[in-house]
Amino acid sequence: MTHYSVAEAKNNLPKLLDRMLAGEEVVITRRGKPIARLEPEGKRQVGEPLDIEWLNANRVETKDGERTPNAVLEMRREYRY
């Protein structure tokens, strides 16, 4: 797996797409943390499980210390029509 910063990806997108199509896993990072992965269209199957470990590792807390899913649920409740 090869990691590229956002700036590197911006300047080398055609090259990165060629590497991805050749089978290399290409990950784009911001400030050293993975934020995107390039993969060929159709690679992921519908209904394929999400990477729960990655989701849990990358959760953020709101200013008052509440975990992200709870904050989203609360926002949805407040935004009812």
Side-chain angles (χ1 to χ4, degrees):
M1 177 181 348
T2 310
H3 291 77
Y4 299 90
S5 70
V6 172
E8 291 171 316
K10 177 183 163 200
N11 295 328
N12 298 296
L13 185 58
K15 247 191 268 188
L16 298 184
L17 292 173
D18 289 341
R19 287 178 169 208
M20 177 264 310
L21 290 171
E24 184 177 334
E25 188 170 341
V26 176
V27 175
I28 300 173
T29 62
R30 178 179 285 156
R31 296 183 194 98
K33 294 190 178 210
I35 61 167
R37 178 186 358 240
L38 298 178
E39 61 183 39
E41 180 65 30
K43 181 179 176 185
R44 184 175 282 252
Q45 298 295 318
V46 174
E48 186 176 325
L50 296 174
D51 188 346
I52 300 300
E53 288 179 27
W54 183 89
L55 290 171
N56 286 332
N58 289 285
R59 288 180 193 250
V60 295
E61 293 187 3
T62 59
K63 291 178 184 173
D64 61 358
E66 187 175 2
R67 298 292 282 187
T68 307
N70 296 336
V72 171
L73 288 172
E74 187 58 35
M75 284 187 279
R76 287 181 180 164
R77 282 189 212 111
E78 292 174 3
Y79 188 72
R80 302 244 170 163
Y81 294 90

Coordinates of all heavy atoms in Angstrom, one line a residue:
M1 N 0.9 -1.2 0.0 CA 0.0 0.0 0.0 C 0.9 1.2 0.0 O 1.8 1.4 0.8 CB -0.9 0.0 1.2 CG -1.8 1.2 1.3 SD -2.9 1.3 2.8 CE -2.9 -0.3 3.5
T2 N 0.6 2.1 -0.9 CA 1.4 3.4 -1.0 C 0.6 4.5 -0.6 O -0.6 4.7 -1.0 CB 1.9 3.5 -2.5 OG1 2.5 2.3 -3.0 CG2 2.9 4.6 -2.6
H3 N 1.2 5.4 0.2 CA 0.5 6.6 0.7 C 1.1 7.9 0.0 O 2.3 8.0 -0.2 CB 0.7 6.8 2.2 CG 0.1 5.7 3.0 ND1 0.5 4.5 3.1 CD2 -1.1 5.8 3.7 CE1 -0.3 3.8 3.9 NE2 -1.3 4.6 4.3
Y4 N 0.1 8.8 -0.4 CA 0.5 10.0 -1.0 C -0.2 11.2 -0.3 O -1.4 11.0 0.0 CB 0.1 10.0 -2.5 CG 0.8 9.0 -3.3 CD1 0.2 7.7 -3.4 CD2 2.0 9.2 -3.9 CE1 0.9 6.7 -4.1 CE2 2.7 8.2 -4.6 CZ 2.1 7.0 -4.7 OH 2.7 6.0 -5.4
S5 N 0.4 12.3 -0.1 CA -0.2 13.4 0.5 C -1.2 14.0 -0.5 O -1.2 13.7 -1.7 CB 0.8 14.5 0.9 OG 1.3 15.1 -0.3
V6 N -2.1 14.9 0.0 CA -3.1 15.5 -0.9 C -2.3 16.3 -2.0 O -2.7 16.2 -3.2 CB -4.0 16.4 -0.1 CG1 -4.9 17.3 -1.0 CG2 -4.9 15.6 0.8
A7 N -1.3 17.0 -1.6 CA -0.5 17.8 -2.6 C 0.1 16.9 -3.7 O 0.1 17.2 -4.9 CB 0.6 18.6 -1.9
E8 N 0.7 15.7 -3.2 CA 1.3 14.8 -4.2 C 0.2 14.2 -5.1 O 0.4 14.1 -6.3 CB 2.0 13.6 -3.4 CG 3.2 14.0 -2.7 CD 3.7 12.9 -1.8 OE1 2.9 12.3 -1.1 OE2 5.0 12.7 -1.9
A9 N -0.9 13.9 -4.5 CA -2.0 13.4 -5.3 C -2.5 14.4 -6.4 O -2.8 14.0 -7.5 CB -3.2 12.9 -4.4
K10 N -2.6 15.6 -5.9 CA -3.1 16.7 -6.8 C -2.1 16.8 -8.0 O -2.5 17.0 -9.2 CB -3.1 18.0 -6.1 CG -3.5 19.2 -6.9 CD -3.5 20.5 -6.1 CE -3.4 21.7 -6.9 NZ -3.0 22.8 -6.3
N11 N -0.8 16.8 -7.7 CA 0.2 17.0 -8.8 C 0.4 15.7 -9.6 O 1.1 15.8 -10.7 CB 1.5 17.4 -8.2 CG 1.4 18.8 -7.5 OD1 0.6 19.6 -8.0 ND2 2.1 19.0 -6.5
N12 N 0.0 14.6 -9.2 CA 0.3 13.3 -9.9 C -0.9 12.4 -10.1 O -0.7 11.2 -10.2 CB 1.4 12.5 -9.1 CG 2.7 13.3 -8.9 OD1 3.3 13.5 -9.9 ND2 3.0 13.6 -7.7
L13 N -2.1 13.0 -10.2 CA -3.3 12.2 -10.3 C -3.2 11.2 -11.4 O -3.5 10.0 -11.2 CB -4.5 13.0 -10.4 CG -5.8 12.3 -10.3 CD1 -6.0 11.4 -9.1 CD2 -7.0 13.3 -10.5
P14 N -2.9 11.5 -12.7 CA -2.8 10.5 -13.7 C -1.9 9.3 -13.4 O -2.3 8.2 -13.6 CB -2.3 11.3 -14.9 CG -2.7 12.7 -14.7 CD -2.5 12.9 -13.2
K15 N -0.8 9.6 -12.8 CA 0.2 8.5 -12.4 C -0.5 7.6 -11.3 O -0.3 6.4 -11.4 CB 1.5 9.1 -11.8 CG 2.7 8.9 -12.7 CD 3.9 9.3 -12.0 CE 4.2 10.7 -12.3 NZ 5.5 11.2 -11.8
L16 N -1.1 8.3 -10.3 CA -1.7 7.5 -9.3 C -2.9 6.6 -9.8 O -3.0 5.5 -9.4 CB -2.3 8.4 -8.2 CG -1.2 9.3 -7.5 CD1 -1.9 10.1 -6.3 CD2 -0.1 8.4 -6.9
L17 N -3.6 7.2 -10.8 CA -4.7 6.4 -11.4 C -4.1 5.2 -12.1 O -4.7 4.1 -12.0 CB -5.6 7.2 -12.3 CG -6.4 8.3 -11.6 CD1 -7.1 9.2 -12.6 CD2 -7.4 7.7 -10.6
D18 N -3.0 5.4 -12.8 CA -2.4 4.3 -13.5 C -1.9 3.2 -12.6 O -2.1 2.0 -12.8 CB -1.2 4.8 -14.4 CG -1.6 5.5 -15.6 OD1 -2.8 5.4 -16.0 OD2 -0.8 6.3 -16.1
R19 N -1.3 3.6 -11.4 CA -0.9 2.7 -10.4 C -2.0 1.9 -9.8 O -2.0 0.7 -9.6 CB -0.1 3.4 -9.3 CG 1.2 3.9 -9.7 CD 1.9 4.6 -8.6 NE 3.3 4.8 -9.0 CZ 4.3 4.9 -8.2 NH1 4.1 4.9 -6.9 NH2 5.5 5.1 -8.6
M20 N -3.1 2.6 -9.6 CA -4.3 1.9 -9.0 C -4.9 0.9 -10.0 O -5.2 -0.2 -9.6 CB -5.4 3.0 -8.7 CG -6.7 2.5 -8.2 SD -8.0 2.3 -9.4 CE -8.0 3.9 -10.3
L21 N -4.9 1.3 -11.3 CA -5.4 0.4 -12.3 C -4.5 -0.8 -12.5 O -5.0 -1.9 -12.9 CB -5.6 1.1 -13.6 CG -6.8 2.1 -13.6 CD1 -6.8 2.9 -14.9 CD2 -8.1 1.4 -13.4
A22 N -3.2 -0.7 -12.2 CA -2.3 -1.8 -12.3 C -2.3 -2.7 -11.0 O -1.6 -3.7 -11.0 CB -0.9 -1.2 -12.4
G23 N -3.2 -2.4 -10.1 CA -3.4 -3.2 -8.9 C -2.8 -2.7 -7.6 O -2.9 -3.4 -6.6
E24 N -2.1 -1.6 -7.7 CA -1.5 -1.0 -6.4 C -2.5 -0.3 -5.6 O -3.4 0.4 -6.2 CB -0.4 -0.1 -6.8 CG 0.4 0.5 -5.7 CD 1.5 1.4 -6.1 OE1 2.0 1.3 -7.2 OE2 1.9 2.3 -5.3
E25 N -2.5 -0.5 -4.3 CA -3.4 0.2 -3.4 C -2.9 1.6 -3.2 O -1.8 1.7 -2.7 CB -3.6 -0.6 -2.1 CG -4.7 0.0 -1.3 CD -5.1 -0.8 -0.1 OE1 -4.8 -2.0 -0.1 OE2 -5.7 -0.3 0.8
V26 N -3.7 2.6 -3.5 CA -3.2 4.0 -3.4 C -4.1 4.7 -2.3 O -5.3 4.7 -2.4 CB -3.4 4.7 -4.8 CG1 -3.0 6.2 -4.6 CG2 -2.5 4.0 -5.8
V27 N -3.4 5.2 -1.3 CA -4.1 5.9 -0.2 C -3.6 7.3 -0.2 O -2.4 7.6 -0.3 CB -3.7 5.2 1.1 CG1 -4.4 6.0 2.3 CG2 -4.2 3.8 1.1
I28 N -4.6 8.2 -0.1 CA -4.3 9.7 0.0 C -4.4 10.1 1.5 O -5.4 9.7 2.2 CB -5.2 10.5 -0.9 CG1 -5.0 10.0 -2.3 CG2 -5.0 12.0 -0.8 CD1 -6.0 10.6 -3.3
T29 N -3.4 10.9 1.9 CA -3.4 11.3 3.3 C -3.4 12.8 3.5 O -3.0 13.5 2.5 CB -2.1 10.8 4.0 OG1 -1.0 11.3 3.4 CG2 -2.0 9.2 4.0
R30 N -3.9 13.2 4.6 CA -3.9 14.6 5.0 C -3.3 14.7 6.4 O -3.8 14.1 7.3 CB -5.2 15.3 4.9 CG -5.2 16.7 5.4 CD -6.6 17.4 5.3 NE -6.9 17.6 4.0 CZ -8.2 17.7 3.5 NH1 -9.2 17.6 4.4 NH2 -8.4 18.0 2.3
R31 N -2.2 15.4 6.5 CA -1.5 15.5 7.8 C -1.1 14.2 8.3 O -1.2 13.9 9.5 CB -2.3 16.3 8.8 CG -2.5 17.8 8.4 CD -3.3 18.5 9.5 NE -3.7 19.8 8.9 CZ -5.0 20.0 8.5 NH1 -5.9 19.0 8.5 NH2 -5.3 21.1 8.0
G32 N -0.7 13.3 7.4 CA -0.3 11.9 7.8 C -1.4 10.9 8.1 O -1.1 9.8 8.3
K33 N -2.7 11.3 8.0 CA -3.8 10.4 8.3 C -4.5 10.1 7.0 O -4.8 10.9 6.2 CB -4.7 11.0 9.3 CG -4.1 11.2 10.6 CD -5.2 11.6 11.6 CE -4.5 11.7 13.0 NZ -5.4 11.4 14.1
P34 N -4.8 8.8 6.7 CA -5.5 8.4 5.5 C -6.9 9.0 5.5 O -7.6 9.0 6.4 CB -5.6 6.9 5.7 CG -4.6 6.5 6.7 CD -4.5 7.6 7.6
I35 N -7.2 9.6 4.3 CA -8.5 10.2 4.1 C -9.3 9.6 2.9 O -10.5 9.8 2.8 CB -8.5 11.7 4.0 CG1 -7.6 12.2 2.8 CG2 -7.9 12.4 5.3 CD1 -7.8 13.6 2.4
A36 N -8.5 9.0 2.0 CA -9.2 8.4 0.8 C -8.3 7.3 0.2 O -7.1 7.2 0.5 CB -9.3 9.5 -0.3
R37 N -9.0 6.4 -0.5 CA -8.3 5.3 -1.1 C -8.8 5.2 -2.5 O -10.1 5.2 -2.8 CB -8.6 4.0 -0.3 CG -8.0 2.8 -0.9 CD -8.4 1.5 -0.3 NE -9.3 1.6 0.8 CZ -9.0 1.2 2.1 NH1 -7.9 0.6 2.3 NH2 -9.9 1.3 3.0
L38 N -7.9 5.0 -3.5 CA -8.3 4.9 -4.9 C -8.5 3.4 -5.1 O -7.6 2.6 -4.8 CB -7.3 5.5 -5.8 CG -7.0 7.0 -5.7 CD1 -5.9 7.4 -6.7 CD2 -8.3 7.7 -6.0
E39 N -9.6 3.0 -5.7 CA -9.8 1.6 -6.1 C -10.6 1.6 -7.4 O -11.4 2.5 -7.6 CB -10.5 0.8 -5.0 CG -11.8 1.3 -4.6 CD -12.4 0.4 -3.5 OE1 -11.6 0.1 -2.6 OE2 -13.6 0.2 -3.5
P40 N -10.4 0.6 -8.3 CA -11.2 0.6 -9.5 C -12.7 0.5 -9.3 O -13.2 -0.1 -8.3 CB -10.7 -0.7 -10.2 CG -9.4 -1.1 -9.5 CD -9.5 -0.5 -8.1
E41 N -13.4 1.1 -10.2 CA -14.9 1.1 -10.2 C -15.4 -0.3 -10.2 O -14.9 -1.2 -10.9 CB -15.4 1.9 -11.4 CG -16.9 1.9 -11.4 CD -17.6 2.7 -10.3 OE1 -16.9 3.7 -9.8 OE2 -18.7 2.4 -9.9
G42 N -16.4 -0.6 -9.3 CA -17.0 -1.9 -9.3 C -16.2 -2.9 -8.4 O -16.6 -4.1 -8.3
K43 N -15.1 -2.5 -7.8 CA -14.3 -3.5 -7.0 C -15.1 -3.9 -5.7 O -15.2 -5.0 -5.4 CB -13.0 -2.9 -6.6 CG -12.1 -3.8 -5.8 CD -10.8 -3.1 -5.4 CE -10.0 -4.1 -4.5 NZ -8.8 -3.4 -4.0
R44 N -15.7 -2.9 -5.1 CA -16.5 -3.1 -3.8 C -17.9 -3.6 -4.2 O -18.6 -3.1 -5.0 CB -16.6 -1.9 -3.0 CG -17.3 -2.1 -1.7 CD -17.2 -0.8 -0.9 NE -15.9 -0.7 -0.3 CZ -15.7 -0.8 1.0 NH1 -16.7 -1.1 1.8 NH2 -14.5 -0.7 1.5
Q45 N -18.3 -4.7 -3.6 CA -19.6 -5.3 -3.9 C -20.7 -4.6 -3.0 O -20.4 -4.2 -1.9 CB -19.6 -6.8 -3.5 CG -18.6 -7.6 -4.4 CD -19.0 -7.6 -5.8 OE1 -20.2 -7.7 -6.2 NE2 -18.0 -7.4 -6.7
V46 N -21.8 -4.5 -3.6 CA -23.0 -3.9 -2.8 C -23.2 -4.7 -1.6 O -23.3 -6.0 -1.7 CB -24.2 -3.8 -3.7 CG1 -25.4 -3.3 -2.9 CG2 -24.0 -2.9 -4.9
G47 N -23.4 -4.1 -0.5 CA -23.6 -4.8 0.7 C -22.4 -5.3 1.4 O -22.4 -6.0 2.5
E48 N -21.2 -5.1 0.9 CA -20.0 -5.5 1.5 C -19.8 -4.7 2.8 O -20.1 -3.5 2.9 CB -18.8 -5.2 0.5 CG -17.5 -5.7 1.0 CD -16.4 -5.4 0.0 OE1 -16.6 -5.5 -1.2 OE2 -15.2 -5.1 0.4
P49 N -19.4 -5.4 3.9 CA -19.3 -4.7 5.1 C -18.3 -3.6 5.1 O -17.3 -3.7 4.4 CB -18.9 -5.8 6.1 CG -18.6 -7.0 5.3 CD -19.0 -6.8 3.9
L50 N -18.6 -2.5 5.9 CA -17.6 -1.4 6.0 C -16.5 -1.8 6.9 O -16.7 -2.8 7.7 CB -18.4 -0.2 6.5 CG -19.4 0.4 5.7 CD1 -20.2 1.5 6.4 CD2 -18.9 0.9 4.4
D51 N -15.4 -1.1 6.9 CA -14.3 -1.4 7.8 C -14.6 -0.7 9.1 O -14.3 0.4 9.4 CB -13.0 -0.8 7.2 CG -11.8 -1.2 7.9 OD1 -11.9 -1.7 9.1 OD2 -10.7 -1.0 7.4
I52 N -15.3 -1.4 10.0 CA -15.7 -0.9 11.3 C -14.5 -0.5 12.2 O -14.6 0.5 12.8 CB -16.6 -2.0 12.0 CG1 -17.9 -2.3 11.2 CG2 -17.0 -1.5 13.4 CD1 -18.7 -1.1 10.9
E53 N -13.5 -1.3 12.1 CA -12.3 -0.9 12.9 C -11.8 0.5 12.5 O -11.4 1.3 13.3 CB -11.2 -2.0 12.7 CG -11.5 -3.3 13.4 CD -10.4 -4.3 13.2 OE1 -9.2 -3.9 13.0 OE2 -10.7 -5.5 13.2
W54 N -11.7 0.7 11.2 CA -11.2 2.0 10.7 C -12.2 3.1 11.1 O -11.8 4.2 11.6 CB -11.1 2.1 9.2 CG -10.6 3.3 8.7 CD1 -9.3 3.7 8.5 CD2 -11.3 4.5 8.3 NE1 -9.2 5.0 8.0 CE2 -10.4 5.5 7.9 CE3 -12.7 4.8 8.3 CZ2 -10.8 6.8 7.5 CZ3 -13.1 6.1 7.9 CH2 -12.1 7.0 7.5
L55 N -13.5 2.9 11.0 CA -14.5 3.9 11.4 C -14.3 4.2 12.9 O -14.4 5.4 13.3 CB -15.9 3.4 11.1 CG -16.3 3.3 9.7 CD1 -17.7 2.6 9.5 CD2 -16.4 4.7 9.0
N56 N -14.2 3.2 13.7 CA -14.1 3.4 15.2 C -12.8 4.1 15.5 O -12.7 5.0 16.4 CB -14.1 2.1 15.9 CG -15.5 1.5 16.0 OD1 -16.5 2.3 16.0 ND2 -15.6 0.2 16.1
A57 N -11.7 3.8 14.8 CA -10.4 4.5 15.0 C -10.4 6.0 14.6 O -9.6 6.7 15.1 CB -9.3 3.7 14.3
N58 N -11.3 6.3 13.7 CA -11.3 7.7 13.1 C -12.5 8.5 13.6 O -12.8 9.5 13.0 CB -11.2 7.6 11.6 CG -9.9 7.1 11.1 OD1 -8.9 7.9 11.2 ND2 -9.8 5.9 10.8
R59 N -13.1 8.1 14.6 CA -14.2 8.9 15.1 C -13.7 10.2 15.8 O -12.6 10.2 16.3 CB -15.0 8.1 16.2 CG -15.8 7.0 15.8 CD -16.5 6.4 16.9 NE -17.1 5.1 16.5 CZ -18.4 4.9 16.5 NH1 -19.2 5.9 16.8 NH2 -18.9 3.8 16.1
V60 N -14.5 11.2 15.7 CA -14.1 12.4 16.4 C -15.1 12.7 17.5 O -16.2 12.3 17.4 CB -14.0 13.6 15.4 CG1 -12.9 13.4 14.4 CG2 -15.3 13.8 14.7
E61 N -14.7 13.5 18.5 CA -15.6 13.9 19.5 C -16.0 15.4 19.3 O -15.2 16.2 18.8 CB -15.0 13.8 20.9 CG -14.8 12.3 21.2 CD -14.3 12.1 22.7 OE1 -14.2 13.1 23.4 OE2 -14.1 11.0 23.0
T62 N -17.2 15.7 19.6 CA -17.7 17.1 19.5 C -17.0 17.9 20.7 O -16.3 17.3 21.5 CB -19.2 17.2 19.7 OG1 -19.6 16.6 20.9 CG2 -19.9 16.4 18.6
K63 N -17.2 19.2 20.6 CA -16.6 20.1 21.6 C -17.0 19.7 23.1 O -16.2 19.8 24.0 CB -17.0 21.5 21.4 CG -16.3 22.0 20.1 CD -16.8 23.5 19.8 CE -16.2 23.9 18.5 NZ -16.7 25.2 18.1
D64 N -18.2 19.2 23.2 CA -18.6 18.8 24.6 C -18.3 17.4 24.9 O -18.8 16.8 25.9 CB -20.1 19.1 24.8 CG -21.0 18.3 23.8 OD1 -20.5 17.6 23.0 OD2 -22.2 18.4 23.9
G65 N -17.5 16.7 24.1 CA -17.0 15.3 24.4 C -17.9 14.2 23.9 O -17.7 13.1 24.1
E66 N -19.0 14.6 23.2 CA -20.0 13.6 22.7 C -19.4 12.9 21.5 O -18.8 13.5 20.7 CB -21.3 14.3 22.4 CG -22.4 13.3 22.0 CD -23.7 14.1 21.8 OE1 -23.7 15.3 21.9 OE2 -24.7 13.4 21.6
R67 N -19.6 11.6 21.4 CA -19.1 10.9 20.2 C -19.9 11.2 19.0 O -21.1 11.6 19.1 CB -19.2 9.4 20.5 CG -18.4 8.9 21.6 CD -16.9 9.0 21.4 NE -16.5 7.9 20.5 CZ -15.3 7.6 20.2 NH1 -14.3 8.3 20.7 NH2 -15.0 6.6 19.4
T68 N -19.3 11.2 17.8 CA -19.9 11.6 16.6 C -21.2 11.0 16.3 O -22.2 11.7 16.0 CB -18.9 11.3 15.4 OG1 -17.6 11.8 15.7 CG2 -19.4 11.8 14.1
P69 N -21.4 9.7 16.4 CA -22.8 9.1 16.0 C -23.9 9.7 16.9 O -25.0 10.0 16.4 CB -22.6 7.6 16.3 CG -21.2 7.4 16.2 CD -20.5 8.6 16.7
N70 N -23.6 9.9 18.2 CA -24.7 10.5 19.0 C -24.9 12.0 18.6 O -26.1 12.4 18.6 CB -24.2 10.5 20.5 CG -24.1 9.1 21.0 OD1 -24.7 8.2 20.5 ND2 -23.2 8.9 22.0
A71 N -23.9 12.7 18.2 CA -24.1 14.1 17.8 C -24.9 14.1 16.5 O -25.8 15.0 16.3 CB -22.8 14.8 17.6
V72 N -24.7 13.2 15.6 CA -25.4 13.2 14.3 C -26.9 12.8 14.6 O -27.8 13.5 14.0 CB -24.8 12.2 13.3 CG1 -25.7 11.9 12.1 CG2 -23.4 12.6 12.9
L73 N -27.1 11.9 15.4 CA -28.5 11.5 15.8 C -29.2 12.7 16.4 O -30.4 13.0 16.0 CB -28.5 10.3 16.7 CG -28.1 9.0 16.1 CD1 -28.0 7.9 17.2 CD2 -29.1 8.5 15.1
E74 N -28.6 13.4 17.2 CA -29.2 14.6 17.9 C -29.5 15.7 16.8 O -30.6 16.3 16.9 CB -28.3 15.1 19.0 CG -28.9 16.2 19.8 CD -30.2 15.8 20.5 OE1 -30.3 14.6 20.9 OE2 -31.1 16.6 20.6
M75 N -28.6 15.9 15.9 CA -28.8 16.9 14.9 C -30.0 16.5 14.0 O -30.8 17.3 13.6 CB -27.6 17.1 14.0 CG -26.5 17.9 14.6 SD -25.1 18.2 13.5 CE -24.2 16.7 13.6
R76 N -30.1 15.2 13.7 CA -31.3 14.7 12.9 C -32.6 14.9 13.7 O -33.6 15.3 13.1 CB -31.1 13.2 12.6 CG -30.0 13.0 11.5 CD -29.9 11.5 11.2 NE -28.9 11.3 10.2 CZ -28.4 10.1 10.0 NH1 -28.8 9.0 10.7 NH2 -27.4 10.0 9.1
R77 N -32.6 14.7 15.0 CA -33.8 14.9 15.8 C -34.2 16.4 15.7 O -35.3 16.7 15.6 CB -33.5 14.5 17.2 CG -33.6 13.0 17.4 CD -33.6 12.6 18.9 NE -33.0 11.3 19.0 CZ -31.8 11.1 19.5 NH1 -31.1 12.1 20.1 NH2 -31.3 9.9 19.6
E78 N -33.2 17.3 15.8 CA -33.5 18.7 15.9 C -33.9 19.2 14.5 O -34.6 20.2 14.4 CB -32.2 19.5 16.3 CG -31.8 19.2 17.7 CD -30.5 19.9 18.1 OE1 -29.9 20.6 17.2 OE2 -30.0 19.7 19.2
Y79 N -33.5 18.5 13.4 CA -33.8 19.0 12.1 C -35.1 18.4 11.5 O -35.3 18.3 10.3 CB -32.7 18.8 11.2 CG -32.8 19.4 9.8 CD1 -32.7 20.8 9.7 CD2 -33.1 18.7 8.7 CE1 -32.8 21.4 8.4 CE2 -33.2 19.3 7.4 CZ -33.1 20.7 7.3 OH -33.3 21.2 6.1
R80 N -36.0 18.0 12.3 CA -37.2 17.4 11.8 C -38.1 18.5 11.2 O -38.1 19.6 11.7 CB -38.0 16.7 12.9 CG -37.2 15.6 13.5 CD -37.8 14.4 13.4 NE -36.8 13.4 13.8 CZ -37.1 12.2 14.1 NH1 -38.4 11.8 14.0 NH2 -36.2 11.3 14.4
Y81 N -38.8 18.2 10.1 CA -39.6 19.2 9.4 C -40.8 19.6 10.2 O -41.4 18.9 10.9 CB -40.0 18.7 8.0 CG -38.8 18.5 7.2 CD1 -38.1 17.3 7.1 CD2 -38.4 19.6 6.4 CE1 -37.0 17.2 6.3 CE2 -37.3 19.5 5.6 CZ -36.6 18.3 5.5 OH -35.5 18.1 4.7

